[in-house]
């Protein structure tokens, strides 16, 4: 299955008799609010210019539930998620392409969530908006209502206990920056460190300088060196966003992987769960 699409191929498909539904998932992880600055406004960025026909989807409000004990970006209510997708024109038999501002994390969250909910034709625009060389639009589309109804469970999902067990029985990858894995710094969550047994595998190393994914063979070699071959693989991050990007990179490499959606924000919120620090998995 091809999980990515180039900007050139997307332009061709948009001009075809069966264009994909386009979802704009612009979002940024930011600590600007804590510093007194205004947080990134994805909707405003969308309204200033987006791919023609794209519908904006709010990651915080529509691709996640309210933050709490389940993490900063727990899974959304499936009935509400289904309504949002149908309102954006998503049908079960219609191809979907998702994109963001270029980092790829938010688009990957939408890709993973749609696949987990049972949609089997979802691709991410490789390189995001920055890769698009065609015109942008400021018009707001009015898509025809889709018929997609979520059927969760189509791809792997881990809870905290499952992630802890997989760190011992298979390979659990931590997609955060290495300094957060080690516990050197922790700008967001209660405590720094990692799930005992997890391996550091920053998702930023899955892409080149242009923000596009490395070739499948390069990704396969990277994950093989981490032991993620011929075994069960799981991924977590801070709150289930950049981890989805790593699951996507693994899929490009031909390696199925489950996502621990609650991730470190859920794990670290419970003081009874063990925390490992330093460069070693422990």
């Amino acid at each position: 299955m091809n999980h990515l699409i180039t900007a050139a191929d997307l332009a061709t498909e948009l001009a075809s008799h069966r264009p994909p539904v386009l979802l704009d998932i612009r979002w940024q992880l930011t600590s600007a609010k804590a510093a007194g600055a205004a947080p990134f406004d994805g909707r405003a960025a969308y309204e200033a210019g987006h791919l023609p026909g794209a519908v904006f989807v709010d990651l915080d409000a529509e691709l996640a539930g309210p933050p709490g004990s389940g993490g900063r970006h727990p899974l959304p209510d499936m009935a509400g998620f289904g309504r949002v997708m149908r309102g954006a024109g998503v049908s079960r038999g219609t191809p979907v392409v998702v994109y963001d501002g270029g980092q790829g994390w938010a688009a990957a969250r939408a890709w993973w969530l749609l696949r987990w909910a049972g949609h089997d034709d979802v691709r991410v625009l490789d390189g995001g908006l920055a890769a698009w060389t065609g015109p942008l639009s400021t018009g707001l589309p009015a898509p025809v209502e889709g018929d997609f109804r979520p059927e969760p469970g189509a791809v792997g999902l881990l809870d905290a206990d499952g992630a802890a067990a997989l760190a011992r029985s298979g390979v659990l990858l931590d997609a955060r920056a290495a300094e957060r894995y080690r516990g050197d710094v922790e700008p967001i969550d209660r405590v720094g460190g990692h799930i005992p047994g997890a391996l550091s595998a920053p998702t930023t190393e899955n892409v080149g300088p242009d923000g596009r994914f490395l070739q499948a063979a390069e990704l396969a070699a990277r994950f093989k060196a981490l032991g993620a071959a011929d075994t069960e693989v799981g991924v977590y991050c801070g709150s289930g966003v950049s981890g989805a990007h790593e699951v996507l990179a693994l899929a490009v490499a031909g390696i199925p992987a489950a996502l621990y959606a609650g991730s470190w924000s859920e794990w670290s919120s419970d003081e009874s769960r063990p925390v490992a620090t330093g460069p070693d998995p422990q």
Side-chain angles (χ1 to χ4, degrees):
M1 182 181 295
N2 190 356
H3 301 284
L4 302 175
I5 185 170
T6 66
D9 286 345
L10 176 58
T12 298
E13 291 194 14
L14 289 174
S16 73
H17 69 284
R18 189 170 178 257
V21 171
L22 270 180
L23 303 180
D24 184 309
I25 325 286
R26 268 179 276 183
W27 172 90
Q28 288 181 14
L29 177 65
T30 176
S31 56
K33 186 176 181 181
F40 175 78
D41 188 336
R43 187 175 294 278
Y46 165 83
E47 291 175 353
H50 52 266
L51 270 63
V55 176
F56 179 73
V57 177
D58 188 310
L59 186 151
D60 290 319
E62 297 170 328
L63 301 183
S69 60
R72 286 192 308 278
H73 291 106
L75 297 180
D77 169 74
M78 281 294 100
F81 173 69
R83 285 193 297 272
V84 170
M85 292 297 102
R86 291 192 296 275
V90 176
S91 290
R92 181 163 295 277
T94 303
V96 178
V97 171
V98 296
Y99 72 91
D100 57 25
Q103 190 176 37
W105 295 4
R109 170 74 176 210
W111 167 86
W112 181 86
L113 193 54
L114 274 165
R115 291 180 67 244
W116 178 73
H119 201 297
D120 60 5
D121 192 354
V122 189
R123 290 166 292 169
V124 171
L125 174 59
D126 197 11
L129 185 66
W132 179 256
T133 58
L136 298 179
S137 171
T138 56
L140 301 182
V144 175
E145 182 88 3
D147 64 15
F148 177 70
R149 298 197 177 272
E151 296 180 6
V155 296
L157 172 68
L158 296 171
D159 59 12
D161 290 341
L166 184 56
R168 301 303 183 188
S169 65
V171 171
L172 181 65
L173 301 177
D174 185 319
R176 298 172 301 158
E179 59 268 25
R180 291 184 69 192
Y181 169 88
R182 294 190 301 265
D184 298 346
V185 298
E186 183 42 66
I188 305 172
D189 294 314
R190 183 185 66 82
V191 64
H194 58 269
I195 297 173
L199 301 172
S200 180
T203 198
T204 52
E205 296 179 15
N206 295 322
V207 298
D210 59 359
R212 301 185 193 189
F213 280 88
L214 302 179
Q215 294 298 309
E218 295 177 272
L219 290 170
R222 181 193 184 210
F223 293 124
K224 183 178 180 180
L226 289 163
D230 301 320
T231 190
E232 191 176 357
V233 180
V235 180
Y236 75 96
C237 58
S239 64
V241 179
S242 66
H245 188 275
E246 186 120 302
V247 172
L248 173 55
L250 283 153
V252 172
I255 302 170
L259 177 68
Y260 173 22
S263 285
W264 188 247
S265 58
E266 178 187 40
W267 182 276
S268 64
S269 70
D270 185 341
E271 295 185 17
S272 70
R273 295 193 183 108
V275 171
T277 57
D280 298 323
Q282 298 182 33

